[in-house]
Structure formats: structure tokens, C-alpha cells
């Protein structure tokens, strides 16, 4: 098997073990007991991966459902006005990014120190290797925060739902990964399903009007976000997944990102505006703290998911997040679902279950 095919398989393995772990060796010989044992081991490995996947999925959903709610609360609520923010809107998207990075780097430093005995000395991957994805991650977060004022809900939904295919294209550009046409079709079906479900489940009567600058921000968000997850996976591949754990990835990305966001705050003159805004609206500081906490926990689940399952699976999880959010809202507040929303949900989960079954059958077949 050539390198590109191998890379493709490792990227699109929703519930498969990484072949580099040594658990997927094909048994030799024709002994029936050996075959049965191998089949049983493969089944056990599969269910172990299911548990890992559910752990990552649940952690990502809890962290980023909370983070997303607080993010919109900060950027779209009209608070008490200040001289530098007469419209009452929070004056700095850059500070939201900074607060997330500030807590994340503290958590990462403590975790790396405990697990590896030193913050930097025992890391295989140099900090400079994380700089490109730190920049793209920072720009992605900033673009998403900034877009909230200028983009309507349906437009946000379309852009956020369409990230799977761009991530696959970015994998081709950065790592030369080749994806079968069937996987592009599956990605397209998931994109359509999520978009239909989300738009059909929420009225947009009071949404922000979409402006050209908002579309630009959303394009930046998608491009930078796709680059980030693929570059992180490239680091795992280059330096070895066993040599870079999620805490080291978190430290590397946030070390560069904190420098970038601090420079942006200083050069943009945002610090005095933020201090003034917090004095008048102390609750906003509390919102930022909650956002930072959920961002830090979310990052740990992000890096674990990308390491275990690859960037495509991570993107699918995050794409379906808005569906989970709407379902929870419907259950808590008694909102009804339209038939269009149900069709969209059936399309998405149908494709996901098809992928899981396909990988399960492939794993069982490889041991026979």
C-alpha cells in the first residue's frame, strides 16, 4: 500500500485503531482458534475505540456547547455603554481569544510538567513547529468572534456546516492525502443534512442582517480552521503520535498564540477599552472566565480526538454540534421540530451510522 493510501486510511477511521499502535496485525496461518481469537480481539478493540470516541464526543459537546453560548452572549448582547463603546457592545474580539489562550497555556504547562517532568526540555516536537497552526487557530477564533455581529444565522449555519470538505482538501494540500470519491459524497451529505436541520429548526426573524464583511470573516474562519486541524495532525505524523500528547500539543499551540494575541491587544489599543468596559459591566468579565474554562477543556478534547481519530472525524463531531444544541433546546423548552429538520437529522445520522458500520465490517474482515 502506498503512502497516500495509508494516510487516507488513517484520516478516515472514525472508530478504528491507529495501525501504528500495533494492534491490527493480520494473523498468519489457518488455525481456527487463532482466527477466532484474532476476531475476538478485533471486536474488543473496536468497542474500546467506541468508548474512546464517546468520551471525546461527549467532552467536545459539553465544552463547546457552553463555550458557544457564552461566546454569543459576550459578542451579541448590548451591555451598558462606555465612552469607548457607546453602542454597549463588547469592544474587543481579540481579548476573547487572549483570555482563552491565557488559561489554556497555564493548564498545559501544569499538565506537561506533571506528566513529563519538565515544561519544555522533554518535548520531542519543538515549539516553533506549532507556530503555523497557532497563527491559524488565533485567526480562526478572531474571525468567528468578529463575524457574529455581521452574519445572519442561516449564513453562519451554511459556513459552519461546510467545513468537512474544505478539511479534506486541506489534507490533500498539506499532506498529500487522497480521499475516495465516496468519502466526498458522504461529507457532502452530512453538510447538506446539518444545514437543512439547523436552518429549518430556527426562525431567523430577529437575526442580524448579513453584510459583506461578515462573509469575509466567515470565509477566513473556515479556511484557517481547516488548516489548523490538518497541521496539528501533520505534527502528530511527523514527530510520532506516541511522542506528542494532547498536553504538549496544547502547550505548543498556545505558547505561540498567546504572543500573537498579546501583540494584537497592545497594537490595537484594546486594553484600556476592555478595562473601562469591565468596570461598567463586571458580569462580562465573569462570562469571559467561563468561556476561557470551557475553551481550555475543549482544547484538551480537540487534541485527543485529532490524535486518536484524525482531523476529519473531529470536524464531523464539531459540525454535528449545532444539531445537538438545537435538539437540547427543543427538549428543554418544548420547541417542535419541523419535518424538514427531521429529514436533515435522518440524513446526517444515516451517513454516520453507515460510516461506523463500514469501518466495523472492515476491521472484522481484516482479521479473517
Amino acid at each position: 500500500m502506498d503512502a497516500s493510501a495509508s494516510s487516507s486510511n488513517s484520516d478516515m477511521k472514525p472508530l478504528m485503531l491507529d495501525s501504528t499502535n500495533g494492534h491490527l496485525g493480520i494473523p498468519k496461518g489457518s488455525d481456527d482458534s487463532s482466527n477466532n481469537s484474532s476476531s475476538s480481539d478485533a471486536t474488543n478493540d473496536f468497542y474500546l475505540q467506541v468508548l474512546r470516541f464517546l468520551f471525546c464526543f461527549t467532552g467536545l459537546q459539553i465544552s463547546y456547547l457552553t463555550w458557544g453560548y457564552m461566546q454569543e452572549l459576550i459578542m451579541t448582547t448590548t451591555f451598558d455603554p462606555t465612552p469607548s463603546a457607546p453602542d454597549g457592545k463588547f469592544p474587543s474580539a481579540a481579548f476573547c481569544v487572549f483570555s482563552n489562550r491565557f488559561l489554556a497555556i497555564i493548564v498545559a504547562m501544569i499538565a506537561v510538567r506533571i506528566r513529563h517532568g519538565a515544561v519544555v526540555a522533554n518535548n520531542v516536537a519543538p515549539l516553533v513547529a506549532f507556530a503555523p497552526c497557532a497563527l491559524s487557530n488565533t485567526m480562526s477564533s478572531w474571525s468567528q468572534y468578529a463575524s457574529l455581529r455581521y452574519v445572519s444565522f442561516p449564513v453562519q449555519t451554511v459556513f459552519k456546516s461546510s467545513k468537512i470538505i474544505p478539511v479534506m482538501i486541506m489534507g490533500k494540500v498539506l499532506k498529500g492525502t487522497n480521499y475516495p470519491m465516496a468519502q466526498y459524497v458522504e461529507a457532502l451529505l452530512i453538510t447538506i443534512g446539518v444545514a437543512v436541520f439547523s436552518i429549518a429548526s430556527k426562525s431567523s426573524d430577529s437575526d442580524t442582517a448579513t453584510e459583506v464583511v461578515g462573509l469575509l470573516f466567515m470565509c477566513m474562519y473556515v479556511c484557517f480552521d481547516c488548516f489548523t486541524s490538518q497541521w496539528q495532525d501533520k505534527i502528530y505524523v511527523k514527530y510520532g503520535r506516541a511522542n506528542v500528547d494532547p498536553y504538549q500539543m496544547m502547550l505548543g499551540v498556545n505558547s505561540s498564540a498567546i504572543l500573537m494575541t498579546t501583540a494584537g491587544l497592545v497594537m490595537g489599543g484594546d486594553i484600556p477599552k476592555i478595562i473601562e468596559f469591565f468596570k461598567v459591566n463586571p458580569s462580562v468579565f465573569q462570562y469571559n472566565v467561563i468561556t476561557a474554562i470551557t475553551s481550555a477543556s475543549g482544547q484538551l478534547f480537540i487534541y485527543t480526538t485529532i490524535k486518536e481519530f484524525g482531523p476529519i472525524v473531529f470536524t464531523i463531531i464539531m459540525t454535528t454540534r449545532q444539531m445537538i444544541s438545537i435538539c437540547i433546546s427543543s427538549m428543554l423548552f418544548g420547541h417542535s421540530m419541523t419535518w424538514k429538520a427531521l429529514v436533515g437529522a435522518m440524513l446526517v445520522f444515516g451517513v454516520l451510522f453507515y460510516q461506523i458500520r463500514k469501518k466495523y465490517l472492515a476491521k472484522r474482515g481484516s482479521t479473517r
Side-chain angles (χ1 to χ4, degrees), residues 124-126 129 175 231-241 243-244:
V124 175
K175 301 182 297 182
W231 189 271
Q232 289 166 351
D233 190 62
K234 185 176 181 178
I235 291 175
Y236 282 128
V237 172
K238 181 176 181 179
Y239 294 99
R241 295 182 186 275
N243 298 324
V244 182

Side-chain angles (χ1 to χ4, degrees), residues 7-317:
S7 178
S8 174
N9 288 340
S10 66
D11 274 344
M12 295 296 289
K13 53 180 191 311
L15 297 174
M16 292 178 66
L17 282 172
D18 187 349
S19 59
T20 59
N21 289 342
H23 298 305
L24 296 180
I26 299 177
K28 299 180 180 179
S30 57
D31 182 69
D32 289 341
S33 62
S34 176
N35 289 339
N36 292 336
S37 176
S38 298
S39 178
S40 176
D41 289 343
T43 301
N44 292 336
D45 287 344
F46 174 81
Y47 287 120
L48 179 61
Q49 285 297 88
V50 170
L51 293 176
R52 290 176 179 172
F53 176 80
L54 291 176
F55 174 72
C56 292
F57 180 88
T58 304
L60 284 168
Q61 299 299 332
I62 294 174
S63 296
Y64 281 104
L65 286 173
T66 307
W67 177 83
Y69 172 78
M70 298 307 301
Q71 169 189 264
E72 292 206 30
L73 183 65
I74 293 170
M75 296 304 299
T76 62
T77 302
T78 300
F79 299 98
D80 293 334
T82 63
S84 58
D87 60 354
K89 298 291 187 180
F90 188 68
S92 177
F95 179 81
C96 294
V97 181
F98 169 82
S99 61
N100 295 344
R101 302 292 174 265
F102 181 76
L103 181 59
I105 196 171
I106 293 175
V107 173
M109 290 175 68
I110 294 173
V112 172
R113 179 70 176 81
I114 292 174
R115 288 178 62 89
H116 302 284
V119 175
V120 178
N122 296 328
N123 292 353
V124 175
L127 290 180
V128 68
F130 302 93
C133 60
L135 175 60
S136 63
N137 184 249
T138 301
M139 292 302 299
S140 171
S141 299
W142 179 83
S143 300
Q144 185 178 18
Y145 276 113
S147 71
L148 294 175
R149 297 183 182 181
Y150 307 103
V151 180
S152 67
F153 175 79
V155 174
Q156 291 179 39
T157 298
V158 171
F159 273 92
K160 292 180 179 181
S161 302
S162 63
K163 288 194 299 181
I164 304 174
I165 294 178
V167 167
M168 296 170 74
I169 295 173
M170 192 66 72
K172 173 68 175 178
V173 173
L174 290 180
K175 301 182 297 182
T177 305
N178 292 319
Y179 300 99
M181 183 56 64
Q183 291 177 347
Y184 283 101
V185 174
E186 291 169 3
L188 179 61
L189 291 175
I190 291 174
T191 297
I192 294 172
V194 172
V196 169
F197 177 88
S198 301
I199 294 175
S201 300
K202 179 174 179 179
S203 170
S204 59
D205 294 339
S206 59
D207 277 333
T208 304
T210 299
E211 300 180 22
V212 175
V213 66
L215 295 177
L216 177 61
F217 283 139
M218 289 305 298
C219 288
M220 292 171 59
Y221 160 68
V222 170
C223 292
F224 284 124
D225 200 55
C226 294
F227 177 90
T228 300
S229 60
Q230 287 289 3
W231 189 271
Q232 289 166 351
D233 190 62
K234 185 176 181 178
I235 291 175
Y236 282 128
V237 172
K238 181 176 181 179
Y239 294 99
R241 295 182 186 275
N243 298 324
V244 182
D245 66 20
Y247 307 105
Q248 292 170 318
M249 178 69 77
M250 188 174 181
L251 175 63
V253 172
N254 286 284
S255 294
S256 298
I258 196 73
L259 297 177
M260 299 172 190
T261 53
T262 302
L265 284 173
V266 173
M267 292 188 294
D270 287 355
I271 296 178
K273 300 177 185 178
I274 296 165
I275 295 175
E276 179 185 69
F277 199 85
F278 282 157
K279 288 180 178 179
V280 177
N281 301 281
S283 61
V284 183
F285 177 77
Q286 299 173 10
Y287 298 158
N288 272 277
V289 171
I290 296 172
T291 305
I293 293 172
T294 53
S295 175
S297 64
Q299 286 187 53
L300 290 173
F301 285 110
I302 284 176
Y303 302 135
T304 301
T305 303
I306 292 176
K307 180 177 181 179
E308 292 287 334
F309 305 103
I312 303 298
V313 175
F314 162 69
T315 305
I316 291 175
I317 292 174

